[in-house]
């Protein structure tokens, strides 16, 4: 069964450094998403992406965040200058249509020191 | 605003049936989704409802009443591996974002 893949599985970074989290969505999916989950808390929406542009973003997704689809397969989330509170599990998801189930990758655990 | 409520924890016995309820108040609605999440892992899609009624999928069923802002997930023939968190999520109108509840942690005992 096709799946969403994310790399790396764990990223440790010093505060203030830039990080790029990578995702390969399911190949025939058109809608892409990033969510995050701080330890012990609920899953929170960050951003949705369709047709090479952002469809919606949450309040969390401030100027320090950006997304890109650099080629036909990858979808990346960049955090420009990381803060301690960015420590969380970051999940990439994709769906074939806007109203279809979103399928999640295994996540990247981001630890900011 | 968005408000999704589900019980924090539930306990059930192996082989039994358990119903996990979810109530929601959201500014837009395009469907209600249920996910399973084992500790430290990704949410895995289980079932969803767009229209009122019951959707059955093997041991898992989900029900929706849009007029009442209410859904439930029914798990039959419980197995030990069903011990996990069950997340209720509403798909809104804007940008296909899923808004998640806090999850219900289900413990299945022998």
């Amino acid at each position: 069964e096709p799946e969403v893949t994310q790399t790396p599985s764990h990223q440790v970074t010093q505060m203030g450094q830039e990080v790029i989290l990578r995702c390969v969505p399911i190949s025939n999916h058109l809608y892409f998403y990033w969510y995050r989950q701080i330890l012990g808390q609920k899953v929170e929406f960050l951003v949705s992406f369709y047709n090479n542009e952002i469809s919606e973003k949450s309040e969390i997704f401030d100027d320090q965040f950006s997304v890109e689809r650099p080629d036909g397969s990858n979808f990346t989330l960049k955090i420009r200058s990381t803060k301690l509170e960015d420590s969380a599990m970051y999940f990439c998801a994709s769906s074939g249509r806007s109203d279809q189930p979103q399928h999640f990758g295994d996540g990247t655990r981001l630890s900011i020191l | 605003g968005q408000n999704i409520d589900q019980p924090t924890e539930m306990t059930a016995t192996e082989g039994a049936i358990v119903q996990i309820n979810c109530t929601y108040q959201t500014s837009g609605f395009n469907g209600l989704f249920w996910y399973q999440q084992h500790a430290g892992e990704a949410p895995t899609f289980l079932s969803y409802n767009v229209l009122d009624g019951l959707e059955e999928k093997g041991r898992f069923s989900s029900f929706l009443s849009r007029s009442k802002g209410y859904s439930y997930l029914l798990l039959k023939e419980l197995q030990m591996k069903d011990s996990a968190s069950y997340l209720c999520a509403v798909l809104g109108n804007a940008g296909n974002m899923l808004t998640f509840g806090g999850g219900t942690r289900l413990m299945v005992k022998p």
Side-chain angles (χ1 to χ4, degrees):
Chain A
E1 187 174 326
E3 56 183 27
V4 177
T5 56
Q6 291 186 241
T7 54
S9 56
H10 192 186
Q11 174 83 44
V12 182
T13 302
Q14 291 287 331
M15 186 172 60
Q17 295 297 303
E18 173 184 288
V19 294
I20 298 176
L21 310 183
R22 302 181 191 279
C23 169
V24 179
I26 294 172
S27 62
N28 61 347
H29 282 185
L30 302 176
Y31 295 82
F32 314 123
Y33 315 86
W34 284 100
Y35 292 83
R36 80 170 185 191
Q37 188 174 31
I38 295 170
L39 188 64
Q41 298 187 22
K42 63 177 69 173
V43 177
E44 299 175 291
F45 170 81
L46 292 178
V47 66
S48 58
F49 191 88
Y50 169 71
N51 200 26
N52 283 320
E53 59 183 29
I54 291 174
S55 306
E56 186 72 25
K57 58 184 180 179
S58 70
E59 293 175 351
I60 303 168
F61 195 89
D62 62 21
D63 292 344
Q64 296 300 312
F65 290 83
S66 62
V67 289
E68 195 177 31
R69 187 151 164 84
D71 53 45
S73 60
N74 290 284
F75 180 51
T76 62
L77 174 70
K78 183 194 290 187
I79 310 175
R80 214 176 325 275
S81 177
T82 50
K83 303 186 284 284
L84 293 175
E85 54 265 38
D86 293 328
S87 294
M89 184 75 99
Y90 287 79
F91 293 109
C92 174
S94 69
S95 64
R97 285 196 338 237
S98 59
D99 59 347
Q100 285 183 330
Q102 297 176 20
H103 295 274
F104 285 71
D106 286 341
T108 294
R109 181 171 299 283
L110 179 63
S111 301
I112 307 301
L113 305 179
Chain B
Q2 316 281 60
N3 192 37
I4 299 173
D5 287 318
Q6 46 182 136
T8 307
E9 283 189 357
M10 296 182 71
T11 303
T13 305
E14 191 176 15
I17 299 172
V18 71
Q19 177 175 312
I20 301 174
N21 295 324
C22 172
T23 58
Y24 64 90
Q25 292 172 309
T26 56
S27 54
F29 182 86
N30 276 324
L32 191 140
F33 294 75
W34 285 95
Y35 286 83
Q36 181 191 63
Q37 187 178 32
H38 285 98
E41 297 184 10
T44 304
F45 169 71
L46 291 176
S47 185
Y48 79 116
N49 300 71
V50 179
L51 301 175
D52 291 354
L54 187 68
E55 290 288 336
E56 298 190 78
K57 204 174 176 183
R59 291 192 300 119
F60 299 93
S61 305
S62 58
F63 172 84
L64 175 67
S65 168
R66 287 172 296 169
S67 62
K68 294 181 180 176
Y70 168 69
S71 174
Y72 67 72
L73 178 70
L74 198 69
L75 291 79
K76 302 175 191 172
E77 300 168 17
L78 279 173
Q79 302 173 9
M80 298 299 290
K81 67 177 183 179
D82 296 330
S83 294
S85 287
Y86 291 85
L87 314 182
C88 171
V90 172
L91 184 68
N93 291 331
N96 316 313
M97 59 181 281
L98 281 174
T99 300
F100 283 84
T104 298
R105 188 175 161 211
L106 175 66
M107 288 175 280
V108 180
K109 297 188 173 179

